[in-house]
Amino acid sequence: MILSRFLRLAALAALVVFAVAACKREPTPAATPPAPKPQAAAESGDYDEHSYAEPDKVAIDDLALELALDFDARTIGGTATYTLDWRDDTATTLVLDTRDLTIERAEGEVAGGSWQPLQFELAGRDDLLGSKLTIQAPERNARIRVAYRTSPAASGLQWLEASMTEGKATPFMFSQSQAIHARSWVPLQDTPRVRYTYSAHVTAPADVMVLMSADNDPAAPRDGDYSFRMPQRIPSYLMAIAAGDLVFKPISARAGVWAEPATVDRAVAEFEDTEKMIATTESLYGPYRWERYDLLILPPSFPYGGMENPRLSFITPTVIVGDKSLVSLIAHELAHSWSGNLVTNSSAKDGWLNEGFTSYVENRIVEALYGEERADMEYVISRNGLKAEIANMSPEEQALAVRPGVVKNPDDSLSAVSYDKGAWFLQFLEERFGRAEFDAFLRGYFDHFAFQSIPTARFVDYAQEHLLEKYPDRVTKEEFDAWLYEPGIPGSAPQVMSRSFGVVDSARLAWLGSGTLPPQSITGEWSTQEWIHFLEGLPDTLSIEQLSQLDTAYRFTGTPNAELAQRWYPLAVRSSYMQAYPAIADFVRTIGRRKLIMPTYQALVATEAGLAFAKEQLEAARPGYHPITTGSVEKLIAEAKPAPGSGTPFMPGTIEPAVAPDAEVDAAPPAMPAADGDPTRPAPTGR
Ligand code: BES
Ligand code: ZN
């Protein structure tokens, strides 16, 4: 790639000579180790080990993108222009994060408004961090411009052929920048410590609608030429773009849904409470500061449930189940408009400041809209997950405030500890200080740190002053610190119980003991949460007879409710219930949301026969998988150590269907078409 040495005050002639020399191929340079941690930053905890950027020297203040989308080449090409804030008087280099980008040129704006070439060096590729781009700017230009092109394999983009979309006529592309993938589609200071405004001009084929995490106009003409502006400062992980056959339908004056035409009405119906959610959160924590709040429904390959891109949350279609039972996901992504987007963790190791606060706010929204019982059920489900996850974690990973170096790949860093232990900590504080006091505290916190990125230490200082010292004798410093710095769940944790789950527990126990399933009058009332709890409490393995009995009654195999599939298929795999395998293949090939499919892959790779099946599914799914999902499944397969000869090989053609198609269905769980159900009802997963 391009390599050259920097001359401090080179004359223009020398620069030209350099530029020519730079075009010659040179040996691939070595990857750069991350910069050593500055002492002061290390002490305050305000240091980002996942970025090469040096924002204490110079920081991006505004970004202007000029981009063209090329669906045939699967690339984005164009320029990024940075308006810079030179913070250190002696600084003359701009260091950017990139991954798999081709850098065509770098230029600096000089007096009179013309642009002159700048020397730059693209270092070798680090597997995790990408390639450090160092631009020499001896004149400390107020604006620097980089011309670049993305790779078709960009880790932060997924390109889908028209055949992989719902409408089958228009290709689709979307970004997923968090945690450190923005650098694969824009050269950036890819650390949440830096916040900037941005604008973009994007061209695409005329039939393709383009949206960004910015001021999307519901009435914008679809003509292949789009302009965006994001006037609020955001960190790089909130940069987002999507393109496809996308249409808009409003939910309220400031909220609506963007989706493919075949999905938009179902999505508007499922998420019709969005405006109420915004109003509820405003009444708790202050005004929504981002103007519009829209949802973008992505194809089922989206690797997450949701992503809180500002003004436009990206949402998996797998939560559209017809009964609003999974809309806490919307509450979660909306809550990030306060916890995360407004007050932002300054590095991935402080992720609990984003996800723990958000999970707490999410639960408050659910409680306000759907009642305490629903909120409690959701807390119990997530805390059971947390306890199971903690059992396999090192003590240092179990602390909320993790030390540098503990988080290796920030995509995997967001464990149940950040989400659920984080939310539990805030619920503990709420209980001890009182709801009114704690709500006021949180509102003040969002206001005080609005549009700032902070490490855990800043929260601790703020809480010290505005909670612990303001209301003495409610929480000791030891109790407070135990939550932050110690492993496990502190003894001070408030316990949540759910009456409904008590019924589910007895029903399950009775069935396991007697073989008699609960009466329809009981299960007929069960929500998705109750079915989740029923499945999660089952033993690790069941007999084939037991699984068939459940399947005959409830049709778990083939369920269009992916939250149930997430729990049923691993049980089926562990129990060698081969009847479920065709449906398992269908499930893991069509859905890319990691949370949903990874448990099934994990169960599969535990045996040799299962590992072979898993590899087959990955190969079949690869063209439709997102790079993040592919990476996770590949890693799991590479690290698998099944016992030789273990497991039951799957022999297609020899398997009877799990349930005879005309079998009578008992009380089917929600979103499970009963035998006499409406066969025309579309499956919610996009299948
Ligand atoms: N911001 C996260 C997604 C994320 C986190 C992406 C870290 C990459 C790195 C998002 O808000 C989220 O938490 N999504 C969850 C939603 C759930 C907890 C309701 C998901 O995708 O499952
Ligand atoms: Zn989140």
Side-chain angles (χ1 to χ4, degrees), residues 178 306 308 332-333 336 339 354-355 358-359 362 414 419:
Q178 199 181 13
E308 65 271 28
H332 180 98
E333 303 314 333
H336 273 305
S339 43
N354 278 18
E355 299 301 343
T358 294
S359 300
E362 164 197 338
L414 290 175
Y419 284 82

Side-chain angles (χ1 to χ4, degrees), residues 470-601:
K470 189 166 170 193
Y471 310 103
D473 307 326
R474 307 256 181 110
V475 171
T476 66
K477 186 74 177 124
E478 289 68 40
E479 285 173 322
F480 189 84
D481 285 352
W483 278 96
L484 285 167
Y485 307 110
E486 281 170 28
I489 307 302
S492 61
Q495 297 304 321
V496 167
M497 275 188 264
S498 151
R499 209 173 276 284
S500 318
F501 282 180
V503 175
V504 174
D505 288 333
S506 352
R508 189 193 318 100
L509 210 60
W511 173 66
L512 286 168
S514 69
T516 308
L517 285 167
Q520 215 262 316
S521 58
I522 299 274
T523 56
E525 301 292 307
W526 282 3
S527 62
T528 297
Q529 284 69 30
E530 284 150 308
W531 285 107
I532 288 174
H533 188 66
F534 180 79
L535 289 175
E536 287 194 332
L538 290 170
D540 262 3
T541 58
L542 290 176
S543 70
I544 302 303
E545 293 68 36
Q546 286 173 310
L547 290 161
S548 303
Q549 191 191 357
L550 291 178
D551 241 354
T552 306
Y554 310 127
R555 295 245 175 138
F556 288 122
T557 300
T559 171
N561 187 324
E563 287 283 336
L564 302 182
Q566 176 201 329
R567 278 107 178 157
W568 175 250
Y569 293 137
L571 172 65
V573 169
R574 288 192 301 268
S575 310
S576 297
Y577 180 55
M578 306 315 288
Q579 287 88 333
Y581 272 53
I584 290 176
D586 190 36
F587 177 62
V588 300
R589 288 181 191 199
T590 47
I591 292 183
R593 183 179 174 192
R594 293 191 313 171
K595 177 195 106 117
L596 297 175
I597 59 171
M598 291 312 284
T600 297
Y601 272 115

Side-chain angles (χ1 to χ4, degrees), residues 357 425-426 428-430 432-442 445 459-475 480:
F357 277 64
F425 177 31
L426 299 193
F428 157 74
L429 295 175
E430 179 205 313
R432 288 290 187 85
F433 289 100
R435 184 167 269 198
E437 291 79 358
F438 188 68
D439 286 356
F441 162 79
L442 218 47
Y445 165 82
F459 161 75
V460 170
D461 291 346
Y462 188 84
Q464 179 78 31
E465 184 183 341
H466 297 272
L467 275 181
L468 298 176
E469 283 163 16
K470 189 166 170 193
Y471 310 103
D473 307 326
R474 307 256 181 110
V475 171
F480 189 84

Side-chain angles (χ1 to χ4, degrees), residues 124-173:
R125 184 184 193 281
D126 177 272
D127 276 349
L128 188 58
L129 301 181
S131 305
K132 174 178 177 176
L133 172 63
T134 308
I135 300 170
Q136 307 296 353
E139 294 180 38
R140 298 158 58 88
N141 313 69
R143 291 208 297 165
I144 286 181
R145 177 163 85 187
V146 173
Y148 72 98
R149 201 162 4 93
T150 64
S151 152
S155 63
L157 300 177
Q158 185 174 20
W159 300 84
L160 289 166
E161 278 170 24
S163 64
M164 311 205 78
T165 65
E166 218 174 0
K168 312 263 179 262
T170 314
F172 205 105
M173 184 277 292

